[in-house]
């Protein structure tokens, strides 16, 4: 893919998240959570003063979701939420779930599929913390969780995750390869849970369902934004139900793990709609859920780039 054809987020590599996670690991292990949380304030202030494009994107997003220019305290709270979830990621990956108060909303949507031996596909977003999902696996006995991400990002993030939690089983399925579909199918057939974040797009044609998917311009928080139907096309090809999942951070030690049904691609549509119509409905449903959660808890969404700037995407 030529650099000029890439969406804005690909020019801000995941290695920034990786370095932040490595720093938080050192702080978390050296100081403990109570003291480490105090250190988050100077870190947040430093980021606010030096964040550049990321802080501008945060301000833009907050203006959209709040419907007015955000106050400085609201911008600070957004960045602090992000820093807090990265810090907590260290403890969650190390299975220290007793340090948190985690509430689960609609767990039956997930556990019904797992208990039936069907595995489960989840479409999340850059909301809160994906690692909260692993706490449900601890509570229910055996819940095998895999994260789907593109190959370059998978390589970059895997080393840091394993450095944080070398004894915790971590499984990443790298997209961008033809074998990824077979690996994902085998994981689900083995009753595994597979999640991916569906609030970013790639426009260039590729070789996988994720990359072949179309880009839809959908009204999101008052302005048109681009969403790929690749994640939904993947679930449709595998004929799997698709759930929305978010590990929302509510401050302090409080998290909420929330599940919402997006679409059941294992069933034929009752009205006989075509596959493209079914895909479009799934995208719209996903955006509707994401928008509702952003309004409900605006400081949980961590896409720190100009999400609405996509002049090449089709309308």
């Amino acid at each position: 893919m030529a650099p000029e054809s890439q969406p804005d987020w690909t020019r801000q590599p995941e290695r920034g998240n990786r370095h932040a996670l490595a720093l938080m690991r050192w702080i978390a292990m050296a100081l403990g959570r109570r003291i480490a949380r105090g250190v988050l304030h100077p870190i947040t202030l430093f980021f606010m003063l030096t964040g550049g494009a990321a802080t501008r994107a945060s301000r833009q997003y907050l203006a959209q979701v709040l419907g007015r220019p955000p106050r400085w305290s609201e911008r600070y709270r957004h960045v602090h939420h992000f820093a807090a979830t990265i810090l907590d990621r260290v403890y969650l990956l190390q299975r220290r779930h007793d340090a948190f108060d985690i509430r689960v909303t609609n767990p039956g949507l997930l556990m019904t599929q797992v208990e039936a031996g069907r595995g489960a596909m989840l479409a999340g977003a850059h909301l809160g913390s994906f690692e909260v999902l692993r706490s449900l696996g601890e509570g229910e006995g055996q819940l095998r969780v895999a994260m789907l991400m593109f190959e370059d990002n998978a390589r970059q993030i895997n080393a840091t995750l394993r450095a944080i939690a070398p004894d915790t089983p971590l499984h990443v399925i790298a997209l961008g390869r033809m074998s990824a579909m077979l690996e994902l199918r085998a994981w689900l057939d083995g009753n595994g849970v597979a999640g991916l974040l569906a609030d970013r797009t790639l426009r260039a044609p590729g070789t996988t369902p994720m990359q072949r998917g179309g880009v839809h311009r959908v009204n999101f928080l008052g302005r048109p934004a681009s969403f790929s139907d690749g994640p939904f096309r993947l679930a449709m090809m595998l004929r799997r139900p698709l759930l929305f999942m978010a590990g929302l951070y509510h401050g302090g030690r409080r998290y909420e793990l929330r599940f919402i049904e997006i679409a059941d691609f294992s069933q034929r549509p009752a009205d006989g709609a075509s596959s493209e119509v079914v895909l479009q409905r799934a995208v719209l449903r996903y955006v509707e859920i994401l928008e509702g959660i952003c309004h409900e808890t605006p400081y949980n969404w961590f896409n720190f780039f100009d999400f609405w700037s996509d002049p090449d995407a089709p309308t």
Side-chain angles (χ1 to χ4, degrees), residues 210-261:
M210 280 286 292
Q211 292 169 306
R212 284 199 301 268
V215 174
H216 300 248
R217 291 290 280 177
V218 180
N219 192 59
F220 176 63
L221 299 176
R223 289 176 60 190
S226 295
F227 290 86
S228 172
D229 64 19
F232 313 97
R233 193 176 296 274
L234 190 60
M236 173 179 281
M237 292 177 68
L238 293 171
R239 299 189 63 82
R240 305 283 175 162
L242 185 64
L243 303 179
F244 185 96
M245 189 284 295
L248 302 173
Y249 175 61
H250 292 311
R253 57 193 293 268
R254 296 177 295 117
Y255 281 85
E256 177 196 357
L257 185 56
R258 186 180 300 185
F259 298 100
I260 304 171
E261 185 175 24

Side-chain angles (χ1 to χ4, degrees), residues 81-148:
H81 264 52
F82 177 59
T85 59
I86 292 181
L87 173 65
D88 288 344
R89 197 173 182 184
V90 175
Y91 302 110
L92 289 165
L93 282 167
Q94 293 182 338
R95 297 179 171 179
R96 295 172 60 178
H97 303 125
D98 56 346
F100 302 96
D101 175 13
I102 301 174
R103 309 293 175 88
V104 186
T105 302
N106 294 331
L109 288 176
L110 174 68
M111 298 314 300
T112 296
Q113 295 186 47
V114 172
E115 289 167 359
R118 302 163 60 191
M121 278 195 70
L122 309 175
H126 289 76
L127 279 167
S129 176
F130 182 85
E131 273 70 32
V132 178
L133 176 63
R134 302 181 200 277
S135 68
L136 186 62
E138 294 292 311
E140 296 291 337
Q142 298 293 325
L143 188 64
R144 298 164 55 245
V145 179
M147 185 69 185
L148 285 78

Side-chain angles (χ1 to χ4, degrees), residues 30 172 219 271:
V172 175
N219 192 59
D271 60 358

Side-chain angles (χ1 to χ4, degrees), residues 9-296:
W9 69 266
T10 62
R11 294 190 289 271
Q12 300 180 35
E14 292 290 347
R15 65 176 62 94
N17 193 333
R18 181 164 54 100
H19 292 324
L21 190 56
L23 173 63
M24 287 301 182
R25 174 185 180 272
W26 182 87
I27 292 173
M29 296 295 96
L31 303 178
R33 188 172 185 270
R34 184 175 63 85
I35 298 177
R37 280 186 60 81
V39 177
L40 291 183
H41 290 290
I43 290 175
T44 300
L45 181 60
F46 176 80
F47 189 83
M48 289 286 294
L49 297 175
T50 63
T55 54
R56 290 193 296 272
S58 170
R59 182 170 62 244
Q60 178 199 41
Y61 157 69
L62 289 174
Q64 290 297 133
V65 73
L66 298 175
R68 56 170 173 77
R71 295 186 287 270
W72 194 90
S73 60
E74 293 167 329
R75 293 169 53 205
Y76 183 93
R77 185 177 178 186
H78 188 208
V79 175
H80 187 271
H81 264 52
F82 177 59
T85 59
I86 292 181
L87 173 65
D88 288 344
R89 197 173 182 184
V90 175
Y91 302 110
L92 289 165
L93 282 167
Q94 293 182 338
R95 297 179 171 179
R96 295 172 60 178
H97 303 125
D98 56 346
F100 302 96
D101 175 13
I102 301 174
R103 309 293 175 88
V104 186
T105 302
N106 294 331
L109 288 176
L110 174 68
M111 298 314 300
T112 296
Q113 295 186 47
V114 172
E115 289 167 359
R118 302 163 60 191
M121 278 195 70
L122 309 175
H126 289 76
L127 279 167
S129 176
F130 182 85
E131 273 70 32
V132 178
L133 176 63
R134 302 181 200 277
S135 68
L136 186 62
E138 294 292 311
E140 296 291 337
Q142 298 293 325
L143 188 64
R144 298 164 55 245
V145 179
M147 185 69 185
L148 285 78
M149 60 179 65
F150 284 99
E151 197 163 13
D152 288 344
N153 292 347
R155 279 197 302 267
Q156 291 172 13
I157 212 74
N158 240 348
T160 301
L161 295 181
R162 295 195 182 282
I164 291 172
D167 299 325
T168 300
L170 300 172
H171 193 79
V172 175
I173 298 175
L175 299 170
R177 300 174 288 113
M178 288 304 296
S179 60
M181 174 73 80
L182 299 176
E183 186 178 352
L184 175 57
R185 185 187 298 274
W187 182 262
L188 295 171
D189 289 345
N191 206 26
V193 175
L196 75 169
L197 307 182
D199 54 346
R200 292 186 180 178
T201 64
L202 283 171
R203 290 191 298 269
T207 59
T208 70
M210 280 286 292
Q211 292 169 306
R212 284 199 301 268
V215 174
H216 300 248
R217 291 290 280 177
V218 180
N219 192 59
F220 176 63
L221 299 176
R223 289 176 60 190
S226 295
F227 290 86
S228 172
D229 64 19
F232 313 97
R233 193 176 296 274
L234 190 60
M236 173 179 281
M237 292 177 68
L238 293 171
R239 299 189 63 82
R240 305 283 175 162
L242 185 64
L243 303 179
F244 185 96
M245 189 284 295
L248 302 173
Y249 175 61
H250 292 311
R253 57 193 293 268
R254 296 177 295 117
Y255 281 85
E256 177 196 357
L257 185 56
R258 186 180 300 185
F259 298 100
I260 304 171
E261 185 175 24
I262 297 175
D264 186 354
F265 293 114
S266 67
Q267 305 292 327
R268 295 186 180 276
D271 60 358
S274 69
S275 60
E276 293 304 311
V277 170
V278 171
L279 281 172
Q280 185 178 36
R281 289 174 181 172
V283 173
L284 293 175
R285 173 63 174 159
Y286 172 86
V287 175
E288 176 187 45
I289 294 169
L290 178 59
E291 186 176 60
I293 291 178
C294 286
H295 279 301
E296 176 189 343

